[in-house]
Amino acid sequence: MRIHFYHSLFGLLTFFLSSISLKAQELTVTDSETRQPLDEVSVWSAVPASFGLTNAQGKLDLTDFQGATKVQIARLGYEPLTSSYDELQQVGFNLALKPSALSTKSAVVISANRWLNSPRFVPARLAVIPRSSIYLMNPQTAADLLAQSGEVFVQKSQQGGGSPMIRGFATNRLLYSVDGVRMNTAIFRGGNIQNVISLDALALESAEVLFGPGSVLYGSDAIGAVMRFETLKPRFATTDAQIVNGSATSRYASASNELTVHADVNVANRKWSYLSSFTHSRFGDMRMGRFGPQEYLRPFFVQRVDSADQVVQNTDPLVQTPGGYRQLNLMQKLAWKPSSSWQVDYAFHYSETSDYARYDRLIATQSNGLPLFAVWNYGPQTWMMNQLTVEHRQTRALFDQFSARAAWQQFGESRIDRRFNQNRLRTQQEDVQAYSINFDFVKHIGKHQFQYGAEWVNNQVQSNGSALNIATGAPIAVPDRYPAATWNSAAIYAHYSYRWGKSILLNAAARANFYSLNADFTRHLPFFPFDFTQTQLQNQALTGSLGMVYSPKETLRVYASLSNAFRAPNVDDIGKIFELGDAEVVVPNPQLAAETAWNAELGLDIRPFDWLRFEISAFYTYLDRALVRRPFQVDGQDSLMFDGQLSQIFAIQNAAFARVQGLQGSVELSPGHGFLFLSRFNWQVGEEQMDNGELSPSRHAAPGFGLSRLAYSQKAWQFQAEVVYSAALSFDQLNVEEQLKPELYARDNWGRPYSPSWYSLNLRFRVNFHPQMSLSAGVENLSDQRYRPYSSGMAAAGRNLICSLQLKF
């Protein structure tokens, strides 16, 4: 009996002490001024390799950090802290972060080396957009989110779109990554794309832009930049009690009569966590501003009346019709943490749009002034991803941390067009099955850090072309846009860093990439006189980088890098058959090699005073063996019959070079009392070789652009006033292909197309009138300017009132 009593007493004491221990390991982070808990605070250590984010109550379980001699704690807008686990234990695991007068870049980033890292020792320019900024900016789409950063130029052919231009490169020379999985597919084209709108801006944890080449870590296409999007992560409970939290958001925008609703919920205990997110958006026709070029107005549109196309006068030429669409985004995540060293995550993403009009094609006219097209729509754009991730954190001989990612993505897109007063309605449907596996390892040995890994990517492309006579209902045979094709890529990479003293970091990296493509043109033979039915392509690309960072203290960073990148030919390059212009057709070219880019960059990030920060970076990129469209011959002929007319033949070829150089700079000034002034500017100029050997301005080198912003924040509320602007491009500064698109541009004094300068004045505020409730509102384009960003078909929104209400629980 007595023994039983002592056993019971010992069990109760053990449970009591373990409860105290567990409770004691729970970190609590607050604002040093308001004493309010801070969520989304990044806490990480290299040894042991651990990372976590504080929850809505500002809490994080530090069990995985035991024994860490260097724990880094950071949140955008606050001064970072570095401590050890023992030191945190001495202060009772309670920390208060001091608000920073300047928008410090101390939050962790992943894009720079695929692992959590401080941007202080990254030899490249970075842009980080945290969730807190997303709430304030209220972007309509993920493309708008990038544009509002002031560091990415975004082109729009229609409202349901957004094609980033970065450092003179765009489309398939930029890399999109979602939770570490490449989003680029084998049909990413050289023309403008809109895949970024498949991402839900309201379901993002953060967005990062790593400027410059990133092929060593991310493979093909990472020439101009890597855009890495991290979606919401499931949070685990910090105690044995189950937690349920989440948020709900509704938003209205007047210029497009947009209505968006979003909700997310996280249910978790210590070992399991489930996250669900839902967003639905409805966009009406976009209304442009009142003051600006007359060429941008929409005086008419086309309607089908009594089996004939009629040009109908637009009662309000400021309304860009047709342009509205709907979009649905779903995300489900399940995380399992069987022990402190293992975590398994499953994620499901789904995005679908309704049909939406390609506005830039609908405003094009024939020589007689009549519309060129009666119908030009993108069919529903769908994206689905299933992803399984396994992470292991434990010091071993070959690694301290290991991750494996397997993903299956499905992409669906279609094009539906009909020329004015013609009966043939053509539909081109493309489907891509994308499979990928990534293995990544990291190992720390003293001042040395080794990262290495492998990647395998497989894309299977199916394309189907069909047409219908809308007058008779009879089917019409048309060629597919692409051949049935398979694109493969396999690679290994290694990245080495050495910390020389406390101030200098040196790194070197290399990647060996092997790629292949198999295409079957059998379905095209009835339409084209090809002398082949199968095409195969196999090749390899070697890339590397060298970097150096000098940072003797948090307030100074000098960096330099030399790197190269590549873009392997894909199915869009080798197999696309489409109409380039009137009496022009693009056909396959099986004799392609990868294009290669060489880049040099030098940057300075300095904070000489607590109230002043200055950052500037200069870069130069040379693109060799550029994949570009050039005149081509098939069986010795430079023309063939296509779509009922004799058309000149073009094909993608390794036929040219291009070069781009530029500067990116920013200044931050904080006079105190909650005020902050920020200004960012981006200048790039480029040129590319044309088929006649002459040089033309680069098509994707956007004019100089930037923003200047005055912000004020006090405890529960924030206010911003900003001007976003872009320089002009004269007719002579336009690429020769852009000069042939007069419908996109205003006219100069000689009647030639040019891209005028423009500006937009924006006001925003956000108030937290309850710990679980906040209101965001703003007015964009306050002066109602009518402007169209360079190369865009859609004019920007006129004066636009935006209002958003968010609830947290």
Side-chain angles (χ1 to χ4, degrees):
M1 184 75 173
R2 183 173 298 177
I3 295 175
H4 178 73
F5 171 76
Y6 285 133
H7 273 279
S8 300
L9 182 62
F10 179 77
L12 288 172
L13 184 62
T14 302
F15 175 78
F16 177 72
L17 291 175
S18 64
S19 298
I20 294 176
S21 176
L22 289 173
K23 185 70 176 178
Q25 294 177 46
E26 187 178 68
L27 176 69
T28 301
V29 185
T30 59
D31 183 300
S32 63
E33 296 180 358
T34 65
R35 298 300 177 184
Q36 293 297 313
L38 292 177
D39 62 351
E40 300 177 23
V41 177
S42 300
V43 183
W44 79 102
S45 68
V47 181
S50 297
F51 171 76
L53 291 168
T54 57
N55 59 21
Q57 290 75 42
K59 297 182 181 298
L60 175 67
D61 186 354
L62 289 186
T63 302
D64 298 347
F65 292 81
Q66 290 187 40
T69 58
K70 186 177 181 181
V71 179
Q72 300 183 70
I73 301 141
R75 189 183 193 273
L76 209 66
Y78 288 83
E79 296 289 347
L81 288 177
T82 300
S83 183
S84 68
Y85 180 86
D86 291 342
E87 289 170 341
L88 292 174
Q89 190 174 38
Q90 290 174 10
V91 296
F93 295 104
N94 291 305
L95 281 182
L97 294 185
K98 179 183 177 182
S100 172
L102 302 175
S103 59
T104 61
K105 293 190 175 182
S106 300
V108 293
V109 295
I110 305 176
S111 59
N113 58 10
R114 297 185 69 92
W115 292 101
L116 294 168
N117 196 23
S118 168
R120 177 183 169 186
F121 286 102
V122 174
R125 186 178 180 91
L126 288 159
V128 181
I129 308 172
R131 188 160 175 79
S132 56
S133 295
I134 297 173
Y135 285 147
L136 179 61
M137 291 190 293
N138 266 324
Q140 178 172 296
T141 66
D144 296 322
L145 172 67
L146 294 171
Q148 290 173 357
S149 71
E151 299 192 80
V152 177
F153 192 92
V154 174
Q155 178 275 354
K156 285 191 176 184
S157 296
Q158 65 282 326
Q159 186 175 191
S163 187
M165 295 183 180
I166 303 176
R167 290 191 170 186
F169 297 100
T171 61
N172 55 16
R173 290 173 181 154
L174 301 176
L175 195 284
Y176 300 79
S177 172
V178 183
D179 292 340
V181 177
R182 63 179 286 131
M183 196 180 191
N184 294 42
T185 72
I187 62 171
F188 264 41
R189 56 191 180 273
N192 298 310
I193 59 176
Q194 53 275 344
N195 297 71
V196 71
I197 71 167
S198 292
L199 302 176
D200 182 4
L202 294 177
L204 291 178
E205 196 86 57
S206 65
E208 300 174 16
V209 182
L210 174 66
F211 294 94
S215 283
V216 170
L217 296 175
Y218 291 92
S220 178
D221 305 357
I223 291 178
V226 173
M227 290 168 284
R228 178 155 181 155
F229 300 89
E230 292 294 316
T231 60
L232 293 176
K233 300 182 184 302
R235 303 282 201 273
F236 290 94
T238 57
T239 66
D240 291 331
Q242 180 174 286
I243 62 168
V244 179
N245 53 45
S247 68
T249 303
S250 63
R251 183 181 64 231
Y252 172 78
S254 62
S256 62
N257 198 29
E258 175 212 352
L259 181 61
T260 293
V261 291
H262 165 84
D264 61 77
V265 62
N266 188 187
V267 181
N269 57 31
R270 280 186 176 274
K271 290 187 176 293
W272 292 91
S273 183
Y274 171 73
L275 173 71
S276 180
S277 173
F278 163 88
T279 302
H280 182 270
S281 298
R282 182 207 67 197
F283 305 103
D285 294 338
M286 180 71 75
R287 182 182 180 86
M288 68 182 81
R290 290 184 299 159
F291 307 106
Q294 296 295 307
E295 293 88 349
Y296 298 166
L297 294 174
R298 178 66 160 153
F300 64 84
F301 56 91
V302 176
Q303 281 187 345
R304 188 77 172 172
V305 180
D306 296 330
S307 300
D309 291 331
Q310 301 290 332
V311 176
V312 179
Q313 182 179 358
N314 190 358
T315 56
D316 188 349
L318 297 179
V319 176
Q320 301 173 89
T321 185
Y325 73 102
R326 295 174 182 267
Q327 181 165 340
L328 171 69
N329 283 85
L330 300 173
M331 183 175 71
Q332 311 292 322
K333 288 190 175 185
L334 181 64
W336 176 43
K337 199 171 185 180
S339 69
S340 61
S341 60
W342 287 94
Q343 183 169 326
V344 181
D345 293 83
Y346 167 75
F348 170 80
H349 301 262
Y350 182 77
S351 173
E352 180 178 3
T353 70
S354 63
D355 289 7
Y356 52 91
R358 181 167 174 178
Y359 185 79
D360 64 336
R361 291 296 178 93
L362 295 178
I363 62 176
T365 58
Q366 306 175 52
S367 57
N368 59 9
L370 291 175
L372 186 60
F373 288 94
V375 176
W376 214 117
N377 292 335
Y378 284 112
Q381 176 175 295
T382 61
W383 170 63
M384 183 190 74
M385 180 169 75
N386 290 273
Q387 180 185 2
L388 182 66
T389 303
V390 178
E391 292 187 346
H392 180 48
R393 303 179 182 92
Q394 190 170 13
T395 301
R396 295 182 179 272
L398 296 179
F399 63 86
D400 296 327
Q401 191 170 355
F402 153 76
S403 75
R405 292 182 179 88
W408 166 38
Q409 299 179 82
Q410 289 182 307
F411 298 84
E413 59 183 58
S414 58
R415 295 159 179 81
I416 307 163
D417 68 89
R418 184 174 63 82
R419 290 179 175 271
F420 184 75
N421 273 335
Q422 293 188 12
N423 291 328
R424 193 198 69 172
L425 181 68
R426 179 177 60 177
T427 300
Q428 293 177 312
Q429 174 71 43
E430 278 73 54
D431 295 286
V432 179
Q433 304 285 332
Y435 305 91
S436 63
I437 298 176
N438 290 84
F439 296 98
D440 297 290
F441 303 82
V442 62
K443 177 66 179 177
H444 296 84
I445 304 176
K447 296 183 178 181
H448 309 270
Q449 177 177 290
F450 301 89
Q451 296 172 228
Y452 56 98
E455 179 186 66
W456 172 79
V457 180
N458 171 271
N459 282 193
Q460 299 177 14
V461 178
Q462 293 293 327
S463 180
N464 182 63
S466 62
L468 182 73
N469 186 314
I470 62 173
T472 65
I476 302 173
V478 295
D480 302 333
R481 181 178 174 89
Y482 298 115
T486 300
W487 185 86
N488 291 289
S489 172
I492 56 174
Y493 79 89
H495 185 282
Y496 168 71
S497 298
Y498 173 69
R499 183 68 64 87
W500 189 4
K502 296 183 178 180
S503 304
I504 297 177
L505 181 79
L506 304 174
N507 67 35
R511 180 187 184 101
N513 211 115
F514 305 89
Y515 58 88
S516 65
L517 191 155
N518 297 278
D520 185 350
F521 291 91
T522 303
R523 286 171 53 91
H524 291 80
L525 292 182
F527 305 95
F528 301 99
F530 297 153
D531 59 357
F532 59 88
T533 58
Q534 303 284 331
T535 294
Q536 293 184 347
L537 185 153
Q538 291 185 350
N539 218 322
Q540 63 278 328
L542 299 176
T543 54
S545 66
L546 295 172
M548 185 276 293
V549 179
Y550 173 69
S551 180
K553 50 186 177 180
E554 289 276 357
T555 57
L556 175 63
R557 180 172 71 112
V558 181
Y559 60 90
S561 65
L562 295 172
S563 57
N564 73 330
F566 76 100
R567 186 175 80 81
N570 63 18
V571 177
D572 185 83
D573 299 313
I574 200 172
K576 182 169 63 176
I577 301 174
F578 76 104
E579 188 176 6
L580 175 61
D582 208 16
E584 296 175 332
V585 62
V586 175
V587 301
N589 175 16
Q591 306 298 321
L592 290 179
E595 57 186 16
T596 304
W598 302 87
N599 183 79
E601 182 169 354
L602 181 65
L604 170 67
D605 184 357
I606 184 171
R607 189 168 60 173
F609 309 102
D610 288 342
W611 48 269
L612 178 64
R613 183 191 192 120
F614 175 76
E615 183 177 7
I616 187 169
S617 58
F619 67 90
Y620 175 85
T621 305
Y622 181 85
L623 184 66
D624 193 22
R625 299 186 301 176
L627 292 172
V628 290
R629 285 192 298 261
R630 294 290 180 264
F632 195 65
Q633 291 187 349
V634 175
D635 292 337
Q637 303 297 315
D638 61 4
S639 300
L640 58 76
M641 293 299 297
F642 177 75
D643 204 18
Q645 61 180 334
L646 187 65
S647 301
Q648 183 182 0
I649 301 173
F650 288 79
I652 303 295
Q653 303 174 53
N654 294 103
F657 69 86
R659 49 180 171 243
V660 183
Q661 56 192 342
L663 296 171
Q664 292 177 277
S666 64
V667 176
E668 296 182 43
L669 176 66
S670 176
H673 305 289
F675 285 96
L676 172 68
F677 174 76
L678 165 67
S679 187
R680 292 175 177 148
F681 182 73
N682 307 268
W683 171 82
Q684 50 277 312
V685 61
E687 54 186 6
E688 59 185 61
Q689 188 181 33
M690 309 307 294
D691 57 303
N692 58 5
E694 296 181 357
L695 296 177
S696 175
S698 174
R699 177 188 173 196
H700 291 134
F705 69 97
L707 65 79
S708 294
R709 175 184 297 155
L710 179 63
Y712 177 75
S713 61
Q714 275 297 338
K715 294 184 178 179
W717 65 282
Q718 300 169 275
F719 172 80
Q720 289 184 354
E722 71 177 15
V723 56
V724 182
Y725 55 87
S726 171
L729 286 180
S730 68
F731 175 80
D732 293 329
Q733 292 174 315
L734 290 177
N735 178 271
V736 292
E737 291 183 4
E738 295 299 304
Q739 293 175 355
L740 300 177
K741 303 173 184 176
E743 67 273 10
L744 303 185
Y745 296 100
R747 301 289 189 275
D748 62 17
N749 294 333
W750 295 272
R752 303 176 303 178
Y754 84 107
S755 181
S757 61
W758 55 264
Y759 72 92
S760 174
L761 297 173
N762 308 320
L763 300 176
R764 300 188 188 95
F765 82 90
R766 176 179 173 86
V767 57
N768 299 314
F769 50 85
H770 186 274
Q772 278 75 47
M773 187 176 297
S774 62
L775 174 69
S776 299
V779 180
E780 296 180 344
N781 197 0
L782 185 63
S783 58
D784 211 17
Q785 297 298 302
R786 183 187 309 140
Y787 66 93
R788 185 178 286 170
Y790 164 71
S791 193
S792 296
M794 172 74 64
R799 186 179 295 119
N800 189 20
L801 173 63
I802 302 174
C803 185
S804 174
L805 180 66
Q806 184 189 40
L807 304 176
K808 290 185 177 181
F809 59 90

